[in-house]
Amino acid sequence: MPRILKDFLSRNGTGPGLVMLGLVLFWTVGLIILPQLSMLDFSFRPNLPPPEMGGPKDVYTLENYKYLIYGPEGGSQAYNTVDLMVFFRTLVAAACVTVFNLIICYPIAYYLGQTKGNHIRVFALMLIIPYWINEILRAFALRIIFGETGVLNTIFTGIGLFDTPFDFIRNDYALYAGLGYAYILLMIFPIYNVIESLDHNQIEAARDLGAPWWRIHWRVVIPYAKPGISSGCTMVFMLSAGALAAPQILGGPSSLWFTQLIYQQFNDSSDWPQGAAYAVVLLVTCVLLVLAVMRLFKVNMGDIGK
């Protein structure tokens, strides 16, 4: 038995330790690895009716991946520009939502982590309570707020800022705000957990040495909070790129999300292999982008797990 496993069982007890290991294995293998492998297998299969599955025509093929790039055979365009544009726009929008959330959440996390008092608990509770409501209901609430006759347009037209109601939904403002709001806690609390352990004396020492506030954050707080920032940005980016409910409810006519294409392939077209190929491409691309950014900012995988 490996030493690390012996230490784990001796520390937690043989019975509870085996139960925890079993649950982790079930979660990792049964709910993550095996479904992804099944999806990967589907992505290389042709779209056949059930009686022909497993027959001579059911062979591995790259046609589902070629479709994303080139589109249907005999199409009017050399490349599948529609799906490719939706794919790249989804990635760029998810990155923008991640940066927007980081800019908004970093000051909040810093305030929560470096301020003492009972009012901080109230503040944290006020952040959590809205998330007791289902995500879909929150998305519909935001659609009402950003609608042409919604709260924002009523206020802006009432004070004379707009002559006519502004279409926040068609211009994607509602979608980006909804995605940012949906995952804001996933950015705040990882950063807060790290900043809370930062010795406030380091900040006071930097102030005593005459460092301006921006240099204190750039040289002291942000390097220390890098694990929380990495974890929050990873979760927000991955979930934003894979979101479905918010784009369906808050997206305008021209703001098609790549996950909506995947949904259409699975449900509307009943083309599971094509939908699986699109899902695999999205997953692999997001993982590679996250790894590339981590390498760029010199963040280790262990930092995200802290």
Side-chain angles (χ1 to χ4, degrees):
M1 182 181 296
R3 181 176 179 81
I4 187 172
L5 184 58
K6 289 182 179 180
D7 293 340
F8 177 80
L9 294 178
S10 62
R11 188 167 57 250
N12 297 280
T14 304
L18 290 175
V19 171
M20 286 189 286
L21 286 176
L23 292 175
V24 170
L25 286 175
F26 171 73
W27 174 270
T28 305
V29 177
L31 301 181
I32 298 178
I33 296 178
L34 290 181
Q36 295 302 327
L37 290 177
S38 177
M39 189 79 69
L40 182 64
D41 179 71
F42 259 114
S43 70
F44 290 106
R45 300 284 185 177
N47 186 28
L48 299 173
E52 297 183 16
M53 291 182 180
K57 294 183 179 179
D58 193 3
V59 294
Y60 286 115
T61 177
L62 293 174
E63 292 301 321
N64 297 315
Y65 292 95
K66 290 181 180 179
Y67 184 91
L68 173 61
I69 301 174
Y70 300 108
E73 294 184 3
S76 58
Q77 295 181 332
Y79 295 97
N80 190 357
T81 55
V82 175
D83 289 3
L84 289 174
M85 286 298 297
V86 171
F87 177 66
F88 288 114
R89 186 171 64 238
T90 298
L91 296 178
V92 172
C96 291
V97 170
T98 303
V99 174
F100 171 77
N101 266 24
L102 178 59
I103 294 173
I104 295 297
C105 296
Y106 175 80
I108 298 175
Y110 177 80
Y111 178 77
L112 288 173
Q114 289 293 307
T115 306
K116 308 299 180 182
N118 292 329
H119 67 284
I120 295 300
R121 298 179 181 178
V122 178
F123 188 18
L125 187 62
M126 291 173 62
L127 290 172
I128 295 172
I129 285 178
Y131 291 85
W132 293 356
I133 303 173
N134 183 272
E135 179 183 357
I136 296 177
L137 295 179
R138 284 188 276 115
F140 275 112
L142 287 174
R143 186 176 181 90
I144 294 173
I145 292 173
F146 284 101
E148 291 190 8
T149 59
V151 176
L152 287 181
N153 272 314
T154 301
I155 294 175
F156 291 153
T157 54
I159 63 178
L161 186 61
F162 295 152
D163 294 330
T164 57
F166 183 78
D167 197 342
F168 289 100
I169 295 176
R170 183 176 292 273
N171 289 279
D172 294 337
Y173 289 105
L175 174 58
Y176 295 150
L179 287 172
Y181 175 64
Y183 309 121
I184 193 171
L185 292 185
L186 297 178
M187 182 70 76
I188 289 178
F189 284 113
I191 302 176
Y192 158 74
N193 287 334
V194 178
I195 293 180
E196 186 184 27
S197 63
L198 174 62
D199 189 355
H200 192 72
N201 291 327
Q202 297 185 37
I203 299 175
E204 293 298 328
R207 287 175 179 170
D208 293 340
L209 292 173
W213 67 268
W214 64 268
R215 187 177 292 276
I216 294 173
H217 285 275
W218 184 255
R219 299 296 295 272
V220 178
V221 182
I222 292 179
Y224 188 85
K226 187 184 290 187
I229 294 174
S230 304
S231 178
C233 289
T234 299
M235 289 189 291
V236 172
F237 175 76
M238 298 293 281
L239 291 175
S240 297
L244 179 62
Q248 287 276 70
I249 298 171
L250 297 171
S254 61
S255 61
L256 190 64
W257 216 250
F258 196 68
T259 49
Q260 292 175 281
L261 294 181
I262 297 173
Y263 178 86
Q264 291 173 4
Q265 294 290 347
F266 274 106
N267 292 276
D268 298 340
S269 302
S270 297
D271 192 345
W272 282 45
Q274 189 66 63
Y278 276 31
V280 169
V281 169
L282 180 62
L283 174 63
V284 172
T285 304
C286 288
V287 171
L288 292 178
L289 284 175
V290 169
L291 293 177
V293 173
M294 287 172 57
R295 185 176 181 84
L296 177 64
F297 289 98
K298 299 179 180 179
V299 179
N300 298 322
M301 186 64 69
D303 293 335
I304 294 183
K306 289 183 178 178

